[in-house]
Amino acid sequence: MAAFLDRLGRLAFRRRWRVLAVWVVALVAAGMASALAPAAPDASYSMPGTESQRAFDLIEERFPAGSTGSAASEGASAKLVFVAPEGQKVTDQANRAVIDEVLGKVAGLDQVVRAADPYGTDAVSKDGSTAYASVTFDVKAKDVDDAVKQDLEQAVAEGRGAGLTVEVGGSVLATQPSGGATELVGVVVAAVVLLITFSSLAAAGLPLLTALIGVGIGAATIMALSSALGLSSATSTLAMMLGLAVGIDYAMFIVSRYREERARGLAPQDAAGVAVGTAGSSVVFAGLTVVIGLAGLSVVGIPTLTQMGLAAAGTVALSVLVAVTLVPALLGIFPRAALARSERRPARRGARSGAVEGKANLGSRWARLVVRRPLLVLLAGVATLGVVALPAAQLHLGTAGDGSKPTSTTERRAYDALAYGFGPGFNGPLTIVVDAKSAQDPKSAVEASVQEISAVDGVVSVSEARFNTAGDTAIFSATPATDPQDERTSELIHALRDDRPTTEKTTGATFMVSGSTAGNIDSDQKVQGALIPYLGLVVGLAFLLLLIVFRSVLVPLKAALGFLLSVLAALGAVVAVFQWGWLAGLLGVHQTGPIMNTMPIVMVGIVFGLAMDYQVFLVTRIREAHLEGERPGQAIVSGFNHSARVVAAAAVIMISVFSGFIGVSEPMIKMIGFGLATAVLFDALVVRMTIVPAVLALLGERAWTMSRWLERIVPRVDVEGHTLTRETDTAAATPGEAERPSLPVR
C-alpha cells in the first residue's frame, strides 16, 4: 500500500499540471451536469415493512389520484386557526363576520382551490373559543407564489386587527431555517486553525482548496443524479458537510507529513512521495472506515437513510482520491510556499533535522504524563464520559413537527391553539384504512369497524368513513385523547393493532392504523430495531480493517470500545440539552422534546467513521515509532510528538464545521450539528488523546502482538510506510542529496 501510494504521489508531483487540469475539468463537467439536470424531487419519506407504510400503499392503490384520501396527489394545505377574545366565542355574530371576511379573501387568491367554512365542516371547538379553516392549494408549498403568501398574510393581519387571534398552520407560511452565516463561520475558523498550525498561507489554503474541489464535484454529481435517482436536497447537504470536514482533515495530514519530511532533509518530490505513502495510507484506511460507517446505513432499510449514506460515502471516497492525487500535485506547484517561512532556507534544513526530531512539544509532554499515570488517566477519562452518557438512558425518540418549533412561529402558535381548543390529540389524528374487500357486506363491515374502534379507551372521536369508488375500502380518522408525542398515544396505537383479530372476526374486514403519528412510532421502532445489527456490521467490518492495519487484536478492540464511549456521551449531551433543556437558552433551543428518531443511527454512522479517522492517524504514528525499535512507552511519546498537534487541529476544524449548524433556526438541524460537534470533541480529545495512550501504556508490548495463526492469515499492509522511511533516511542524512531536488521546482 505505502509503496503504491508513494509512486502515485511522485507521479502526481511530476505531472502536477495535468493532475490539476483533470480535477478542474471534472469540477466544471460536474457543475455543468448539475446545472442542466432537472431539479431535485420533493423530500419523501417511506418506511418499507411497517404497517403505516402498507396502509399508505393501499390508499394509493385503491383511491384514484386526486380523490379524497389520495394524499400524494394533493397540493399544499394550510389551517387558518381563529381564537376569539377571552369571554367571547367564534360563533358570535361579530366574530363570525370577521372570519367570513378573511376566508372570502383567502378563497379568492390565485392558486387557492378551497377555503373550507368552519361552521359547515364541524371545525368549531365545543366551547366555541376556537375554529379552523382548511385551505387547499393547487400547487405544492414550494411553488406557492410570494404574492399569494403576501396576500394571505395581509388577510390574516386584517383578522388580527379586528380583534381575533389568527394563526396559520402547515407549510405554506412556514418559517424557513436560517443559517448560512453560521455555517460560514465554521469554515473561517477552520482557515484560522490551519494558518496557526502551519504558519503559511499556502499550506493553510491548500487543504481548503482541495476540500472545496472535492466537495464541489461530489455535490454537483449528486445534484445531477438527484432527479434520476430520486435524491432529496438533504442528501447533498449531508454529503457537503462531511466531505468538507474530512476533505480538510485528509489534506492537512498529508501536508503536515510533507513538511515533516522536508524538515528531515528530503527533496520536494521525495517528501511528497513519502507523505502520500505514509499519511496517505492512513487517509485511505481512515476513509474506508468512514465509507463503511456511512454505506452501512443501507442495512437499516429506510430508503432515505440509504440514499444519504451512499451519497455521503461517495463524497468521502472522492475526498480520499483528491487527497492522494491533487494534494501532491499542488505541493509540486508550491513546494516551498507550503513550508513555514523559517523552513524555506534549504541550506539550514539538513542541520536542523536532528533538532526537529528530538524537540519536545505539548503533545509529547502530555503523552509522558499519561504514560507515567496510565491507570489514573484511564479511570478519569472513562468516568467523565460515563457521567456525561447517563442522560442517554432516558432517550425518547420522536419526529419534528410544528409542536417542536419556537413559539415565535405562527405554525407553533396554531398548533398550540388547536390543542387547547380541540384537545391535545387533535394535532395527531390516526388514519384508519379499512379493507373490506373480503367482507360480504363492505359497508356494514366498515360501520362495525368504526364502532369497534370508537369504543377503544383513548379514542375521543372518529370521523365519517369515506369509501373509494369500488366501495370496498374506506378511510376514517380517529382522534386520540393525548398528544402525538405522548407515550399513551403509542400505547393506544398498539392496543388498536392488538385488538385487530377480534375486530376482523366480528366484521369480516381488516384494518390498518396509519397517519403521521403512527408512521412516526413505526419509524421509531424500526430504527431502534436496526441499531444493534447496524452497530454489529460496521464495528465488525472496521475491526477486521484495523486488524489488518495494526496487526493487533487489542488495538481494534480498544478502538471500538472507545467509539461506543464517545457516542454514548454525545447522545447523553444531546438528551440533556434538547430533551431536558439544560443550556437550551444558551444554544437557542426554544422548545425541548423528543430526539429525532433517525438522528442516533445517523450520528452513530458518521461518528464511527470520524472516530476511526483519529484512531488511524494517531496510532499509526505510534506503531511506526515502535517498528523503528522504540519501547512501547517511548513509542507513544514519539507518536504524540509527531501527530498530536495535527490531530487536535483536525478535531477543532471538524468541530467548527459541525458547530456552524448549531446556529440555524431549525431545531432538528441544530440537534444534528450539536450532536456531531460534541461527539468529535469527546472522541478526539478524550478518547483518542487520553484513553488510547493510557490503554496502550497499560498493554505495553501486548498491544502490538497477536497469535501465530492470525499472523499467518492476516495480510501484511505497510500503512506506516516503514520501508519508505528507511530508504529515505539515507538520502536525508546526506546534505548534498537533501538539497538537490528530484526535478526542477518553481
Side-chain angles (χ1 to χ4, degrees), residues 63 235 606:
F63 287 83
T235 303
I606 296 173

Side-chain angles (χ1 to χ4, degrees), residues 264-266 350 353 727-738:
R264 291 177 60 231
L266 291 187
S353 61
E727 291 171 359
T728 56
D729 280 342
T730 304
T734 308
E737 292 295 322

Side-chain angles (χ1 to χ4, degrees), residues 239-304:
M240 287 174 62
M241 180 172 65
L242 290 179
L244 183 63
V246 301
I248 293 174
D249 280 5
Y250 293 165
M252 186 176 75
F253 281 107
I254 293 177
V255 172
S256 177
R257 188 60 185 256
Y258 169 81
R259 286 158 56 98
E260 183 180 324
E261 296 304 325
R262 289 296 304 274
R264 291 177 60 231
L266 291 187
Q269 180 178 309
D270 296 331
V274 172
V276 176
T278 53
S281 295
S282 298
V283 164
V284 169
F285 278 94
L288 281 175
T289 60
V290 180
V291 169
I292 288 172
L294 292 170
L297 290 171
S298 304
V299 306
V300 180
I302 301 176
T304 302

Side-chain angles (χ1 to χ4, degrees), residues 199-420:
S199 300
S200 166
L201 282 174
L206 194 150
L208 286 174
L209 176 61
T210 55
L212 289 174
I213 290 176
V215 168
I217 296 174
T221 302
I222 292 171
M223 293 174 64
L225 298 174
S226 61
S227 179
L229 301 181
L231 305 179
S232 66
S233 58
T235 303
S236 60
T237 301
L238 178 64
M240 287 174 62
M241 180 172 65
L242 290 179
L244 183 63
V246 301
I248 293 174
D249 280 5
Y250 293 165
M252 186 176 75
F253 281 107
I254 293 177
V255 172
S256 177
R257 188 60 185 256
Y258 169 81
R259 286 158 56 98
E260 183 180 324
E261 296 304 325
R262 289 296 304 274
R264 291 177 60 231
L266 291 187
Q269 180 178 309
D270 296 331
V274 172
V276 176
T278 53
S281 295
S282 298
V283 164
V284 169
F285 278 94
L288 281 175
T289 60
V290 180
V291 169
I292 288 172
L294 292 170
L297 290 171
S298 304
V299 306
V300 180
I302 301 176
T304 302
L305 290 184
T306 300
Q307 293 173 355
M308 293 172 66
L310 292 178
T315 304
V316 171
L318 186 63
S319 298
V320 172
L321 189 58
V322 168
V324 298
T325 57
L326 184 56
V327 171
L330 291 178
L331 289 174
I333 297 173
F334 305 105
R336 296 184 60 195
L339 305 178
R341 186 176 298 275
S342 60
E343 298 174 347
R344 295 177 189 174
R345 292 185 291 273
R348 296 182 55 188
R349 192 175 303 123
R352 291 175 54 250
S353 61
V356 171
E357 291 291 329
K359 184 179 180 180
N361 56 25
L362 182 60
S364 61
R365 289 193 292 270
W366 168 250
R368 287 194 181 95
L369 175 63
V370 174
V371 169
R372 283 199 299 268
R373 298 286 187 272
L375 184 59
L376 179 62
V377 171
L378 174 62
L379 294 176
V382 172
T384 300
L385 294 182
V387 170
V388 178
L390 287 177
Q394 304 297 321
L395 177 67
H396 175 47
L397 298 179
T399 303
D402 287 347
S404 64
K405 293 182 178 180
T407 54
S408 59
T409 63
T410 186
E411 309 96 86
R412 170 62 188 279
R413 294 194 298 268
Y415 181 97
D416 291 342
L418 289 171
Y420 180 80

Side-chain angles (χ1 to χ4, degrees), residues 2 28 125-126 131 164-165 190 197 208 238 252 278 316 320 353 380 427 446 474-475 495 512 526 656 670 696:
V28 172
S125 64
K126 291 181 180 180
L164 293 178
T165 298
T197 303
L208 286 174
L238 178 64
M252 186 176 75
T278 53
V316 171
V320 172
S353 61
N427 286 305
V446 170
I475 303 173
M512 289 181 285
K526 182 159 188 175
S656 301
K670 186 188 298 287
L696 290 177

Side-chain angles (χ1 to χ4, degrees), residues 667-688:
M668 293 301 105
I669 300 298
K670 186 188 298 287
M671 188 183 301
I672 292 174
F674 175 81
L676 293 178
T678 305
V680 172
L681 174 67
F682 290 149
D683 192 88
L685 302 184
V686 179
V687 173
R688 307 303 156 188

